[in-house]
């Protein structure tokens, strides 16, 4: 971001991952947070929790395949292949078997079991001293959010395909799923608190030719929707 033009403005410095300059009102997206409660279920309902999990995984797979098709059509097969990593999460039998085992042994709801196991996997990836593997933690959390949305019957609060006016997106993070649904006539640029040049979101921003900056640390906490800013 540029030097302040007026007294009182603050400069956020990050990592440019997609070239360009834009000016518009900003739309600040909060972190996607689910209230996941651990609920004990009767023995007779344990099988139903496993069935709920299986249905959510199938639904999530259909959603990701749909996003992949749209991205491949709009941007090319290379960008669409980014979502292969998401599909692999759903096919990871070690992960899924551990979730099912947690449901059966602890007799808990599917949401709690999936969130607990998946977050442990993501945290392990995020702690590895390798940029590529750390970025895969983001993929894991993207898929986790989709699965939890389907288990809880929830949807993203903001539909990036149906924005009312041009804007610059400010967020703690943007998943490849979020980036893929951006209306490029309305999203003029975006900036995130975390991320790197090698993230899938950065790769997609370059393919879409949307100006983007990552690694701003606290921008999503300090800025408010509606304020005009340069990126």
């Amino acid at each position: 971001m540029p030097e302040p033009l007026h007294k009182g403005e603050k400069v956020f410095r990050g990592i440019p991952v997609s070239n360009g300059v834009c000016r518009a009102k900003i739309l600040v997206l909060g972190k996607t947070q689910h209230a996941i409660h651990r609920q004990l279920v009767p023995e007779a309902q344990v099988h139903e929790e496993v069935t709920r999990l299986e249905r959510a995984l199938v639904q999530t797979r259909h959603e990701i395949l749909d996003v992949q098709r749209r991205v491949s059509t709009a941007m090319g097969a290379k960008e669409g292949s980014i979502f292969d990593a998401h599909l692999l999460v759903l096919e990871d039998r070690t992960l899924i078997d551990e979730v099912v085992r947690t449901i059966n042994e602890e007799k808990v709801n599917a949401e709690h079991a999936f969130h607990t196991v998946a977050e442990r996997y993501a945290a392990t990836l995020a702690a590895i001293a390798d940029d590529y593997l750390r970025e895969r933690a983001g993929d894991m959390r993207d898929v986790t959010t989709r699965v939890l949305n389907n288990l809880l019957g929830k949807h993203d609060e903001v539909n990036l395909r149906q924005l009312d006016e041009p804007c610059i997106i400010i967020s703690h993070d943007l998943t490849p799923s979020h980036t893929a649904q951006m209306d490029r006539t309305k999203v003029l640029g975006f900036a995130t608190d975390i991320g790197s040049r090698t993230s899938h979101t950065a790769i997609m921003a370059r393919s879409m030719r949307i100006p983007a900056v990552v690694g701003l640390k606290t921008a999503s906490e300090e800025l408010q929707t509606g304020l005009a800013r340069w990126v």
Side-chain angles (χ1 to χ4, degrees):
M1 288 190 174
E3 295 297 332
L5 300 178
H6 303 287
K7 184 178 180 180
E9 291 191 353
K10 181 173 181 177
V11 177
F12 293 92
R13 299 190 184 280
I15 305 167
V17 295
S18 183
N19 295 333
V21 177
C22 57
R23 186 183 187 186
K25 290 183 178 180
I26 64 173
L27 173 62
V28 180
L29 304 182
K31 293 183 183 179
T32 300
Q33 295 183 341
H34 292 288
I36 306 298
H37 301 292
R38 184 178 188 271
Q39 298 176 343
L40 296 177
V41 298
E43 179 72 39
Q45 294 181 20
V46 169
H47 177 71
E48 175 57 27
E49 290 302 304
V50 174
T51 300
R52 289 180 61 237
L53 172 66
E54 292 172 345
R55 286 198 298 262
L57 293 174
V58 170
Q59 186 176 352
T60 301
R61 179 177 177 80
H62 288 322
E63 290 173 356
I64 293 173
L65 285 171
D66 180 59
V67 172
Q68 186 176 52
R69 281 192 293 268
R70 286 192 280 106
V71 170
S72 296
T73 299
M75 287 180 272
K78 180 180 179 181
E79 286 72 18
S81 68
I82 285 173
F83 293 92
D84 287 343
H86 293 208
L87 294 170
L88 287 174
V89 172
L90 299 175
E91 297 167 3
D92 186 337
R93 288 315 312 176
T94 301
L95 169 68
I96 303 306
D97 288 348
E98 186 171 348
V99 175
V100 172
R101 184 167 58 253
T102 300
I103 294 173
N104 285 320
E105 293 181 356
E106 298 185 16
K107 295 180 176 54
V108 292
N109 53 318
E111 296 91 336
H112 172 78
F114 188 84
H115 179 264
T116 299
V117 175
E119 181 55 33
R120 185 164 65 244
Y121 275 57
T124 299
L125 287 170
I128 295 175
D130 179 279
D131 288 342
Y132 177 82
L133 291 177
R134 280 202 304 270
E135 292 298 341
R136 300 300 71 78
D139 294 332
M140 172 71 75
R141 287 176 171 136
D142 191 353
V143 176
T144 298
T145 297
R146 282 186 174 277
V147 173
L148 291 175
N149 277 343
N150 288 325
L151 282 168
L152 296 167
K154 294 184 177 181
H155 304 282
D156 287 336
E157 294 181 3
V158 178
N159 187 338
L160 297 181
R161 290 197 297 269
Q162 297 180 351
L163 297 172
D164 295 329
E165 59 182 336
C167 66
I168 297 169
I169 301 294
I170 307 293
S171 180
H172 176 71
D173 191 17
L174 282 172
T175 66
S177 294
H178 282 132
T179 311
Q181 67 171 304
M182 287 181 179
D183 179 346
R184 283 178 284 180
T185 66
K186 296 292 179 62
V187 178
L188 305 186
F190 71 78
T192 62
D193 297 340
I194 65 175
S196 71
R197 296 180 189 276
T198 60
S199 70
H200 283 165
T201 298
I203 293 170
M204 292 187 66
R206 290 192 288 271
S207 296
M208 298 170 73
R209 297 182 180 178
I210 294 178
V213 179
V214 302
L216 295 178
K217 298 181 180 178
T218 59
S220 69
E221 298 175 3
E222 298 187 48
L223 297 176
Q224 298 177 5
T225 293
L227 299 179
R229 286 292 185 275
W230 289 91
V231 171

